[in-house]
Amino acid sequence: MKAIVITTPGGPEVLQLQDVEDPKLGDDDVLIRVHATALNRADTLQRKGSYPPPKGASDYLGLECSGTIESLGKNVSRWKIDDQVCALLAGGGYAEKVAVPAGQVLPVPPGVSLQDAASFPEVACTVWSTIFMISRLSQGESLLIHGGSSGIGTFAIQIAKCRGVRVFVTAGSEEKLDFCNSIGADVAINYKTQDFVARVKEETGGQGVDVILDCMGASYYQRNLESLNFDGRLFIIGFQGGVTAQVDLRPLVAKRLTVQGAGLRNRSVENKAVIISEVEKNVWPAIAEGKVKPVVYKTFPLSEAAEAHRLMESSQHIGKILLVP
């Protein structure tokens, strides 16, 4: 098969389409012929050499895909050959075929194209497993999403709105903020021109939000604590603003705050299967009803993966970027 290979750690230009061996199919796996894969920021870190794949995972990039099942491991019962599916991967999506544990596979949601279905697994599993399964974000509460126009952000806005949550977002341009508003955000804050703590306080009568989904890490840590209501939960899923911060811990105690964090890629196969099952039960119906829609900014041929990485690193995009073999 053909796959994108990282020829040496570095910039986008190190990504090259090459002929490689087909993936090996385990007894509990399905082999998917990839119709589309989607970019995630983790892919750019792996390309630079700073985010190696978990032990036993594919060396190739790509944390999600959609496609058609081509063969089945001997223990697989739910799926059959030619089923149209999408899947959460530990790697290997930037290729013509990928083997994936059957518990990480989802049906293509009704009303969504096979191609667009590639935009859902990583964002749905990330958002559902963090602010819903761990932070217990509930109807009537409020949520602040940093990077509201990202793939994760655009998904989180929609799923939170369908569950009766008041949604705040930050983003860096008026175009991005307008888009966030158009898919349901209640309060959109330009972090380049406005102090998000002050805006959150102003919009909540001085109280703050109940939950924050944060991709920035250190640079926002203190301000996030200041933006939370009593019993608030800060959930950290990324470190785009660094990993080390000096912090005044008093708000944690004064407001009974909880700081949480999690990744998805390094979880066990069993753990991912639980998340997938919860996503199918809780998120897929909202997609089927049209309450959560795919947000795809641009699609590239797989051979142009370098160009797609340049776009992602420019942060000009809104939503997801796809690659099609």
Side-chain angles (χ1 to χ4, degrees):
M1 67 169 184
K2 287 188 164 25
I4 291 289
V5 175
I6 302 169
T7 51
T8 180
E13 70 285 349
V14 305
L15 300 178
Q16 289 184 7
L17 191 65
Q18 296 182 1
D19 286 301
V20 300
E21 283 187 20
D22 280 7
K24 289 181 175 56
L25 187 68
D27 290 345
D28 300 305
D29 295 347
V30 302
L31 185 70
I32 297 174
R33 175 161 285 280
V34 176
H35 187 81
T37 185
L39 270 68
N40 289 281
R41 206 157 282 270
D43 303 347
T44 64
L45 301 177
Q46 184 175 335
R47 188 200 73 222
K48 292 172 188 168
S50 57
Y51 188 46
K55 198 170 182 289
S58 168
D59 287 332
Y60 306 124
L61 295 167
L63 300 177
E64 57 195 330
C65 73
S66 62
T68 306
I69 293 183
E70 214 168 69
S71 58
L72 307 166
K74 66 171 195 267
N75 299 338
V76 177
S77 55
R78 175 175 177 184
W79 305 105
K80 54 186 194 300
I81 288 170
D82 291 335
D83 279 350
Q84 293 200 332
V85 295
C86 54
L88 180 71
L89 311 173
Y94 287 30
E96 292 177 326
K97 298 176 193 176
V98 65
V100 57
Q104 288 163 226
V105 178
L106 287 154
V108 171
V112 175
S113 71
L114 181 58
Q115 183 167 304
D116 284 351
S119 70
F120 278 127
E122 181 74 22
V123 295
C125 291
T126 296
V127 172
W128 191 261
S129 67
T130 54
I131 55 177
F132 290 98
M133 287 173 74
I134 300 176
S135 303
R136 302 280 172 212
L137 178 65
S138 309
Q139 184 173 357
E141 288 194 311
S142 52
L143 167 69
L144 169 61
I145 303 158
H146 291 303
S149 61
S150 67
I152 284 186
T154 53
F155 176 83
I157 291 166
Q158 297 180 81
I159 193 69
K161 284 310 293 178
C162 359
R163 299 188 77 85
V165 170
R166 187 174 182 216
V167 176
F168 294 66
V169 298
T170 61
S173 75
E174 292 311 310
E175 182 199 5
K176 289 179 176 179
L177 296 169
D178 288 346
F179 186 84
C180 291
N181 285 139
S182 77
I183 58 170
D186 298 287
V187 179
I189 303 162
N190 188 330
Y191 68 82
K192 291 179 178 171
T193 60
Q194 294 178 294
D195 171 4
F196 71 79
V197 182
R199 271 301 301 282
V200 163
K201 289 284 177 69
E202 186 188 317
E203 295 284 349
T204 57
Q207 288 188 302
V209 293
D210 298 301
V211 175
I212 299 175
L213 182 60
D214 175 54
C215 57
M216 295 303 293
S219 61
Y220 276 17
Y221 191 73
Q222 190 73 55
R223 284 180 286 167
N224 280 333
L225 298 184
E226 289 163 16
S227 301
L228 284 166
N229 194 359
F230 283 91
D231 299 307
R233 291 86 79 198
L234 167 61
F235 208 109
I236 299 172
I237 58 166
F239 308 110
Q240 290 179 42
V243 294
T244 311
Q246 185 148 4
V247 177
D248 177 349
L249 294 170
R250 286 172 295 184
L252 272 174
V253 174
K255 296 195 284 185
R256 303 184 297 273
L257 305 180
T258 305
V259 179
Q260 301 164 321
L264 189 55
R265 188 183 197 180
N266 289 296
R267 289 173 183 250
S268 69
V269 170
E270 295 76 15
N271 196 274
K272 287 178 182 175
V274 170
I275 293 168
I276 285 279
S277 164
E278 291 290 312
V279 164
E280 186 170 3
K281 197 164 68 195
N282 294 290
V283 175
W284 253 225
I287 298 173
E289 289 166 28
K291 291 178 180 167
V292 175
K293 294 183 167 69
V295 179
V296 175
Y297 184 74
K298 194 166 182 186
T299 302
F300 292 85
L302 184 60
S303 58
E304 291 176 23
E307 222 23 69
H309 274 229
R310 283 186 192 100
L311 173 60
M312 172 161 265
E313 289 178 311
S314 76
S315 291
Q316 295 302 302
H317 63 293
I318 292 173
K320 297 289 284 190
I321 301 164
L322 302 187
L323 294 174
V324 175

